[in-house]
């Protein structure tokens, strides 16, 4: 199974996006406009299409009612999961309305509890959420890396290969100790034994 690319209506982030034949591309409402402007194929368009302003033409279109519990982004991701995908790249999920960015971070926390990998791609920014696991970065990774606790506490937090290191640290949500760490030109990793971490890589500001 390939990657499920989900395109939202927020800031598109860093490209290019070049899906393969095994990948699925889902445009959530106004994300269809991003795809059309950049020549990205759309396999499925989903949403209430209030942001887009019209019903798009795509191989598959799922129209949602405006009065719904889930955001268009959540609906798009859940449709990808229903089709068997477990690895997601989300574009257009940051910028715009802050409330929608926070909603996407909460969605990613929920995905992490289900063992589903998701990466939120912003402008100069990559965001992940991990639970009871780890994430590794290659030696060529650049920029700042910030680690935050999602939940009351995260036990056994380890940061290796970074400028500031941790070993078995107990991280709590009230203390942003993990902000603005730095890559050092060697392979690095962040791990947590028990709990959920929000991880943000920032290579530049936009």
């Amino acid at each position: 199974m390939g990657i499920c690319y989900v395109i939202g209506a927020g800031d598109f982030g860093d490209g290019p996006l070049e899906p393969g034949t095994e990948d699925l591309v889902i445009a959530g409402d106004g994300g269809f406009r991003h795809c059309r402007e950049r020549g990205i194929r759309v396999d499925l368009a989903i949403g209430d299409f209030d942001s887009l302003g019209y019903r798009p033409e795509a191989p598959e279109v799922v129209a949602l009612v405006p009065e719904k519990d889930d955001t268009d982004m959540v609906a798009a991701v859940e449709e990808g999961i229903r089709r068997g995908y477990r690895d997601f790249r989300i574009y257009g999920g940051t910028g715009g309305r802050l409330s929608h960015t926070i909603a996407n971070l909460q969605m990613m926390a929920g995905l992490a509890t289900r063992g589903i990998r998701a990466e939120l791609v912003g402008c100069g920014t990559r965001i992940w959420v991990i639970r009871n696991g780890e994430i590794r970065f290659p030696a060529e990774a650049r920029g700042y890396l910030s680690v935050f606790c999602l939940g009351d506490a995260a036990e056994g937090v380890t940061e290796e290969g970074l400028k500031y290191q941790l070993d078995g640290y107990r991280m709590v949500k009230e203390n942003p100790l993990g902000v603005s760490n730095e890559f050092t030109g060697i392979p690095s990793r962040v791990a947590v034994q028990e709990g959920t971490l929000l991880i943000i890589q920032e290579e530049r500001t936009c």
Side-chain angles (χ1 to χ4, degrees):
M1 186 67 70
I3 297 171
C4 183
Y5 292 92
V6 179
I7 319 299
D11 293 343
F12 183 76
D14 294 325
L17 190 161
E18 299 178 350
T21 56
E22 293 186 354
D23 301 331
L24 178 68
V25 181
I26 302 177
D29 201 327
F32 184 82
R33 185 178 294 110
H34 284 312
C35 294
R36 184 184 60 186
E37 292 172 349
R38 291 165 174 79
I40 301 168
R41 80 162 197 262
V42 175
D43 301 310
L44 168 67
I46 187 170
D48 55 26
F49 305 120
D50 58 343
S51 298
L52 189 60
Y54 61 91
R55 182 186 175 96
E57 293 185 7
E60 291 186 68
V61 177
V62 176
L64 306 174
V65 297
E67 297 80 13
K68 58 187 185 300
D69 292 332
D70 291 333
T71 64
D72 292 333
M73 183 68 77
V74 170
V77 169
E78 288 297 332
E79 183 63 25
I81 294 171
R82 190 182 71 80
R83 296 175 186 229
Y85 288 86
R86 308 286 291 180
D87 191 357
F88 288 79
R89 302 289 185 279
I90 302 169
Y91 289 74
T94 61
R97 291 165 58 185
L98 178 60
S99 57
H100 279 260
T101 300
I102 294 174
N104 291 332
L105 297 178
Q106 287 193 318
M107 174 189 70
M108 291 174 67
L111 295 176
T113 66
R114 297 158 67 181
I116 296 171
R117 173 182 167 81
E119 178 180 334
L120 182 58
V121 181
C123 184
T125 304
R126 298 287 195 275
I127 302 172
W128 302 266
V129 175
I130 63 171
R131 178 174 176 80
N132 302 350
E134 69 173 22
I135 185 169
R136 292 178 177 267
F137 298 91
E140 58 268 23
R142 295 292 181 267
Y144 295 96
L145 190 72
S146 296
V147 179
F148 302 99
C149 174
L150 290 182
D152 290 335
E155 306 288 349
V157 176
T158 296
E159 298 185 24
E160 295 178 350
L162 299 166
K163 183 175 181 179
Y164 307 105
Q165 303 199 40
L166 294 174
D167 183 11
Y169 183 76
R170 184 177 192 268
M171 188 172 284
V172 296
K173 66 179 186 298
E174 295 87 0
N175 183 6
L177 173 77
V179 70
S180 296
N181 209 333
E182 298 179 36
F183 294 103
T184 60
I186 64 173
S188 56
R189 77 178 185 111
V190 175
V192 57
Q193 291 181 354
E194 184 175 350
T196 304
L197 297 178
L198 170 66
I199 301 170
I200 304 174
Q201 180 186 6
E202 297 167 295
E203 296 186 39
R204 67 179 189 279
T205 57
C206 299

